Every structure is written in structure tokens, then in C-alpha cells.
Amino acid sequence: MMLDRDPVYGEVDLRASAEELSRLADAVAQGAGLLAATGAPNGDALAGVEVRTTSGPGVLLQYDSERHLLVISGDAAARAVLAENLRGMACAEDGGHLHVEYFPDHFYLAEGSLPLVVNSPHGGMPRR
């Protein structure tokens, strides 16, 4: 898994194998876990993802600048939706990417969440 954070906009770019995305989805669904990213954090690269359970409402995506981690926290119902979206990207065989970005009245993201782009293990744009 590779994670990069845009220092200006804060967007996090996630590239991972299908197995890594599935492990992340499992951790998100369970509400606990620490997954390492490939390589040492330098520049805009992150060290990994930490998943926590909170009372919510919703999922909050944050950057822990001291530990260089993407922190995913939230209530069980909202985490289940994000986990399902991650599993969908892990299983997608035609490429593409998923934008996870807060907007007012978002049904599972909490206000203040960082934008996240989850890339398919099979490449950028869908193939038809």
C-alpha cells in the first residue's frame, strides 16, 4: 500500500493491491487496526493507516502529522459503508478510482474529513 498526501489541499492518494485494500476494508469494518504503507514516510508519503472506533456520527478521515498516518475513525454504521466501498475497489476488475470526499449532508462522512482517492489495483480509468 502506498499513501501520498497533497501538502496544499490535504487530499490523500491511496494505491494498493486487492489484498491490501481488502485488509484495509476489514480493519475499517472492525473499527481497529494499523496498516503500514510501503516505504518510509518522506516528503508527502504516509507511513500507513490507523483505524479507530468512535461514537460518530459518521467517518472522519484525518492526518496525524506526528506519526505520518491517515487516521480513519467513526461509528460502526458509517465505517461499514466505507468498508464496502473499499471492498468494491478491491474487487473491481476494470480499473478506475473512488473519490471519498465530504460535502454538506454527506451520508457517511463527517465534516472536516480529508478527501481520499482510492485507486483500483488494476489502474486508473475503467476499461470497457
Side-chain angles (χ1 to χ4, degrees):
M1 173 174 11
M2 296 176 65
L3 292 158
D4 292 303
R5 181 175 172 268
D6 184 299
V8 175
Y9 299 104
E11 180 178 84
V12 175
D13 187 69
L14 168 63
R15 293 174 309 282
S17 68
E19 295 81 19
E20 290 167 328
L21 281 176
S22 293
R23 282 195 300 273
L24 178 57
D26 290 344
V28 169
Q30 294 168 5
L34 181 61
L35 294 91
T38 304
N42 56 29
D44 301 321
L46 303 184
V49 179
E50 181 179 39
V51 180
R52 303 176 184 161
T53 298
T54 60
S55 59
V59 168
L60 183 63
L61 306 173
Q62 298 176 295
Y63 173 59
D64 180 333
S65 60
E66 288 184 16
R67 298 184 300 150
H68 300 283
L69 293 174
L70 173 63
V71 178
I72 301 173
S73 60
D75 62 84
R79 288 192 334 271
V81 175
L82 177 58
E84 194 58 34
N85 288 337
L86 294 169
R87 282 189 189 95
M89 286 308 297
C91 296
E93 296 183 6
D94 64 348
H97 58 275
L98 169 69
H99 287 267
V100 180
E101 190 167 345
Y102 175 80
F103 55 83
D105 297 324
H106 195 283
F107 69 102
Y108 76 88
L109 285 180
E111 185 174 0
S113 285
L114 292 175
L116 173 67
V117 176
V118 181
N119 294 283
S120 166
H122 302 288
M125 294 308 292
R127 295 176 293 217
R128 298 270 177 220

